[in-house]
């Protein structure tokens, strides 16, 4: 949340591409009219990515947030025109499948569309031919048609929004090259250009692929890699002769060959992601005039590379026989931006207050991003969840130039790939490992990756435990990055004891005389308890939305250990911390093992002189003790629904802790277990995963975590908003709830983000899902209207309607007898 130093803030936006123009329009529409947009090139086509963008807008994405951005972009550009010409051409979109794998992926994509409220349907090869007569439908298996997608006229949309912003008081200055960002006491004060200085209370970098250059001036790293991308236009085609419109056919994607197509009157424009990545140094991109002097049309337009194009041209001619009699008339390599995870980079830097980023944004999402950033600046938060785009989301290990270049290049390669939701990156790995990594390798750990960490999902040495288990076979998609070994590990956790590596979970240390008061104010639950208490609580925003959930252990009167979710939590707390509170991220210097199962006490108690009985060490309590030779902070918590402890120690003692527990556990049949089993067990207990099951779009009551809110506590963030919510309900039913579902068929599974149908119509979507091995059914949580227990629904999985039933929670051990013993 930013502070506003002036009643009428002075805003300087750097970059007058589609994002900068959209942002000026959105800010001035909200009353922030002292807006100056600086551009180094000429207006209205300054030479950045907007100037060459082909304008394809496909709204459907696995990301709900990106889909919302694109939907708003379509709505807004549809409402804008310049000289009688609309800024959006709603020709629709069509994605082709020429392989069974792609057709299955299109069914999955149709599910996303239904989940996020986008019109779309799977169509036959014959219908694809009707929509695009030039294709050879004999090799097409089907397609995904989205009638509301289309072509954004990016330069026209820039002009239209620029005019509206100017009409409200904004000014646009071209030929102004930014040379510096001035600051004082950690806050931005001005933008310096080659034609003068511009005082500012807020500065927004919307510079596109120049973002890292502007960021360096401000002392803020921008995790963005520019890459060049091939685009070509054919000669005139007789089949399109006489076309009276720029385009009438749907924008077309042939993702099996990394190609897309759009009409340009009587020609076809073709873009290719099939070539090798062509990374561009943002510090070496020429200014507009220098680029023109070097025979470049604009800074973002690099020379066409014929050798990279040749294989794609063969693929184009295979799909469209009409192209066999023509040639490419012109082409270029256009530069645009990629990040390590393919998402935009948005938000205010904590290093320099008042300095904002709106970077790595494509035309598809431009107006939606601008709206969200404007809301964030003016109101303190956006109206949709932005955690996937928050500039603070990357770990330090993910911010090196080498990492950004390598991962950004890989994002280019994967633009049109069929990606599994669990699919890890291939390089650079391993990057971050826990102290137990060597032991995990010895046990045959199968690692996936998250936040740069190697995370065991199951252990091959547990394969013999699968014998005799009845584990339903899976379809090929859900069987990827899964093993029946997960069922054996879940069973061993329920029946004996297992060790889980919880090291990647973020840990913060909050200390100082004001620590208690600060945490009381920032979180929803009551933390005013004696040292040794552990509390599950929530970080809320001012509207009562769930920013995160935390586990807070009071280890001393002025020392707390906080279990958090992401670097964004650290940023949020640090922004609000008073001078008498210190916050330190201790994740990298510490490690954690979860010891869980009915025999957990039998394993741990002989290793310590402290009393680990239920009476001596109650649930949600913490102790600083020693296990063998290892000092640990032990917390009696369980996110798998079984007796046990989280055991923390320093990283240098982590391997000794593992070996100590492993040796002591042999007599009890201890195993190592992975995150696949963990996710199954936590869903059986109904434990929420922030960022997946709930975000700041949801309040605690509808998310099912209202028990972590103490409305009688004095003055915490979000309290007033929650009270208004409760007053508005006045005993009525919540309009929506995070709802537990059990799939009716014991062999059926879903994975998450699938649409849920009630009475035949889409009514919500799945958040988390996993097979519940204890229950013998797949468990799925979904955002749905309030439904009675026992209500039948259907979940669409690859085009099939899978029956499921609303269940009561917790599904497993509702009386908590297994944890509290």
């Amino acid at each position: 949340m930013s502070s506003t130093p002036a009643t009428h803030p002075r805003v300087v936006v750097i970059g007058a591409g589609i994002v900068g123009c959209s942002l000026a329009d959105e800010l001035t529409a909200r009353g922030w009219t002292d807006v100056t947009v600086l551009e180094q090139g000429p207006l209205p086509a300054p030479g950045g990515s907007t100037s060459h963008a082909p304008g394809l807008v496909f709204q459907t994405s696995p990301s709900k947030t990106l889909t919302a951005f694109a939907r708003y972009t379509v709505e807004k550009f549809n409402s804008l025109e310049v000289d009688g010409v609309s800024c959006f051409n709603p020709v629709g979109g069509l994605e082709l499948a020429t392989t069974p794998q792609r057709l299955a992926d299109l069914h999955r994509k149709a599910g996303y569309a239904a989940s996020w409220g986008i019109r779309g349907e799977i169509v036959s090869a014959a219908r694809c031919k009707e929509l695009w007569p030039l294709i050879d439908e004999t090799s097409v298996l089907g397609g995904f048609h989205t009638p509301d997608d289309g072509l954004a006229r990016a330069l026209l949309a820039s002009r239209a929004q620029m005019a509206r912003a100017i009409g409200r008081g904004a000014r646009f200055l071209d030929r102004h090259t930014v040379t510096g960002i001035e600051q004082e006491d950690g806050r931005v004060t001005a933008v310096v250009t080659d034609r003068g200085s511009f005082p500012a209370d807020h500065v927004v970098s919307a510079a596109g692929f120049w973002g890292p250059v502007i960021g360096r001036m401000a002392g803020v790293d921008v995790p963005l890699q520019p890459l060049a991308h091939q685009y070509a236009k054919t000669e005139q085609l007789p089949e399109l002769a006489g076309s009276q419109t720029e385009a009438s056919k749907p924008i077309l994607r042939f993702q099996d060959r990394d190609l897309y197509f759009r009409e340009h009157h009587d020609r076809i424009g073709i873009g290719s992601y099939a070539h090798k990545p062509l990374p561009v140094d943002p510090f070496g991109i020429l200014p507009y005039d220098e680029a023109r002097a070097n025979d470049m049309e604009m800074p973002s337009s690099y020379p066409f590379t014929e050798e990279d194009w040749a294989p794609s041209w063969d693929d184009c001619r295979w799909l469209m026989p009409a192209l066999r009699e023509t040639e490419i008339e012109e082409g270029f390599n256009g530069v645009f931006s990629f990040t390590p995870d393919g998402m935009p980079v948005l938000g205010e830097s904590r290093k320099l207050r008042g300095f904002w980023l709106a970077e790595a944004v494509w035309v598809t999402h431009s107006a939606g991003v601008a709206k969200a950033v404007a809301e964030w600046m003016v109101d303190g938060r956006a109206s949709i969840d932005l955690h996937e785009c928050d500039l603070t989301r990357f770990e330090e290990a993910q911010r090196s130039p080498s990492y950004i270049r390598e991962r950004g290049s890989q994002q280019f390669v994967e633009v049109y790939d069929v990606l599994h939701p669990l699919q890890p990156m291939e390089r650079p790995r391993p990057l971050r490992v826990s102290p137990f990594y060597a032991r995990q390798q010895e046990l045959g750990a199968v690692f996936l990756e998250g936040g740069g960490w190697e995370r065991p999902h199951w252990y091959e040495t547990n394969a013999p435990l699968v014998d005799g288990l009845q584990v339903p076979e899976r379809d090929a998609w859900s069987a990827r990055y899964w093993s029946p070994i997960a069922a054996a590990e879940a069973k061993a956790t329920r029946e004996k004891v297992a060790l889980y590596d919880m090291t990647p979970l973020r840990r913060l240390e909050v200390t100082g005389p004001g620590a208690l008061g600060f945490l009381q104010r920032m979180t929803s639950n009551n933390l005013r308890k004696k040292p040794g208490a552990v509390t599950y609580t929530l970080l809320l925003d001012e509207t009562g939305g769930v920013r995160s959930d935390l586990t807070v252990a009071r280890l001393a009167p002025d020392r707390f250990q906080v279990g958090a979710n992401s670097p964004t939590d650290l940023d949020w707390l640090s922004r609000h911390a008073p001078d008498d509170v210190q916050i330190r991220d201790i994740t990298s210097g510490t490690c954690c093992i979860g010891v869980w199962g009915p025999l957990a006490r039998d394993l741990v108690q002989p290793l310590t002189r402290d009393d680990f009985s239920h009476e001596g060490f109650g649930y949600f309590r913490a102790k600083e003790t020693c296990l063998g030779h290892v000092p640990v902070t032990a917390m009696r918590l369980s996110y798998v629904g079984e007796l046990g402890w989280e055991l923390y120690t320093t990283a240098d003692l982590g391997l000794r802790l593992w070996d100590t527990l492993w040796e002591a556990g042999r007599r009890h049949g201890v195993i190592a277990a992975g995150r696949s089993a963990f996710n199954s067990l936590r869903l059986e207990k109904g434990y929420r995963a922030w960022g997946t099951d709930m975000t700041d779009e949801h309040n605690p009551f509808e998310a099912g975590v209202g028990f972590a809110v103490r409305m009688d506590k004095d003055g915490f963030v979000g309290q007033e908003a929650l009270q208004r919510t409760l007053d508005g309900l006045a005993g009525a039913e919540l309009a929506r709830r995070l709802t537990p579902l059990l799939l009716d068929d014991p062999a059926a599974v879903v994975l998450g983000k699938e649409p849920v149908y009630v009475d035949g119509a889409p009514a919500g979507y799945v958040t988390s899902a996993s097979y519940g091995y204890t229950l013998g059914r797949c468990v799925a949580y979904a955002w749905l209207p309030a439904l009675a227990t026992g209500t039948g629904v259907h979940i669409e999985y690859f085009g099939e309607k899978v029956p499921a039933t609303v269940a009561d929670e917790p599904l497993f051990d509702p009386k908590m007898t297994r944890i509290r013993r």
Side-chain angles (χ1 to χ4, degrees), residues 81-154:
E81 62 177 43
V82 175
D83 298 330
V85 179
S86 173
C87 293
F88 190 77
N89 185 0
V91 292
L94 178 64
E95 302 181 45
L96 300 178
T98 58
T99 65
Q101 294 81 5
R102 181 66 63 180
L103 184 60
D105 189 59
L106 294 186
H107 276 286
R108 187 165 62 104
K109 186 166 288 185
Y112 293 145
S115 290
W116 315 144
I118 302 297
R119 287 202 304 156
E121 64 174 339
I122 299 296
V123 296
S124 67
R127 177 60 175 152
C128 292
K129 177 72 171 178
E130 291 177 9
L131 292 166
W132 253 90
L134 297 185
I135 67 170
D136 176 4
E137 80 280 14
T138 60
S139 298
V140 175
L141 302 181
F144 176 48
H145 181 222
T146 46
D148 300 322
D149 290 341
L151 292 165
R153 298 183 173 105

Side-chain angles (χ1 to χ4, degrees), residues 507-735:
R507 293 172 290 285
L508 308 177
E509 183 182 69
V510 181
T511 58
L516 174 60
F518 167 65
L519 290 172
Q520 281 283 81
R521 185 174 71 255
M522 295 302 298
T523 70
S524 63
N525 212 334
N526 181 25
L527 306 181
R528 197 174 297 279
K529 302 172 183 176
K530 294 179 180 179
V534 183
T535 307
Y536 177 79
T537 188
L538 307 172
L539 284 181
L540 305 177
D541 63 22
E542 293 290 350
T543 69
V546 182
R547 284 191 56 94
S548 188
D549 60 344
L550 310 176
T551 302
V552 181
R554 191 176 191 183
L555 302 179
D558 58 357
R559 180 166 63 93
F560 296 81
Q561 182 171 309
V562 177
N565 283 297
S566 74
T568 304
D569 294 342
L570 173 62
D571 179 77
W572 176 258
L573 292 170
S574 298
R575 286 176 182 273
H576 292 85
D579 293 339
D580 62 349
V581 173
Q582 294 77 48
I583 304 174
R584 188 166 65 97
D585 189 331
I586 61 172
T587 308
S588 298
T590 56
C591 58
C592 178
I593 300 174
V595 183
W596 290 313
L599 301 182
R601 183 176 289 116
D602 297 321
L603 189 160
V604 175
Q605 182 62 81
L607 299 174
T608 178
R609 294 180 178 179
D610 283 304
D611 184 1
F612 270 57
S613 69
H614 183 63
E615 295 74 23
F617 197 154
Y619 190 52
F620 265 79
R621 299 292 299 173
K623 282 186 181 182
E624 294 182 295
T625 183
C626 289
L627 296 181
H629 298 94
V630 182
V632 299
T633 299
M635 299 185 195
R636 191 170 166 196
L637 308 174
S638 175
Y639 287 96
V640 299
E642 296 293 337
L643 171 69
W645 288 265
E646 292 179 358
L647 303 173
Y648 298 88
T649 191
T650 52
D652 58 325
L653 289 168
L655 190 59
R656 184 59 177 262
L657 176 62
W658 179 280
D659 289 344
T660 298
L661 295 169
W662 189 260
E663 186 60 33
R666 285 181 182 274
R667 60 184 296 203
H668 304 294
V670 71
I671 67 161
R675 292 197 65 81
S676 187
F678 175 90
N679 199 46
S680 170
L681 297 169
R682 72 101 180 163
L683 279 173
E684 289 183 332
K685 283 298 294 179
Y687 293 141
R688 277 56 169 157
W690 184 85
T692 302
D693 297 318
M694 57 187 181
T695 69
D696 61 6
E697 291 184 0
H698 311 111
N699 71 54
F701 309 119
E702 59 191 7
V705 288
F707 63 87
V709 178
R710 294 292 177 266
M711 292 302 294
D712 56 351
K713 189 176 78 165
D714 289 338
F716 62 88
V717 174
Q719 185 177 30
E720 293 182 3
L722 291 186
Q723 188 60 59
R724 288 193 295 271
T725 297
L726 292 174
D727 293 343
L729 287 173
E733 187 77 59
L734 289 163

Side-chain angles (χ1 to χ4, degrees), residues 334-352:
V335 181
F336 62 143
S337 303
F338 286 81
T339 59
D341 60 2
M343 298 294 287
V345 180
L346 312 177
E348 183 188 25
S349 170
R350 184 162 50 87
K351 293 181 180 178
L352 181 59

Side-chain angles (χ1 to χ4, degrees), residues 22 470 707 715:
S22 297
Q470 299 298 314
F707 63 87

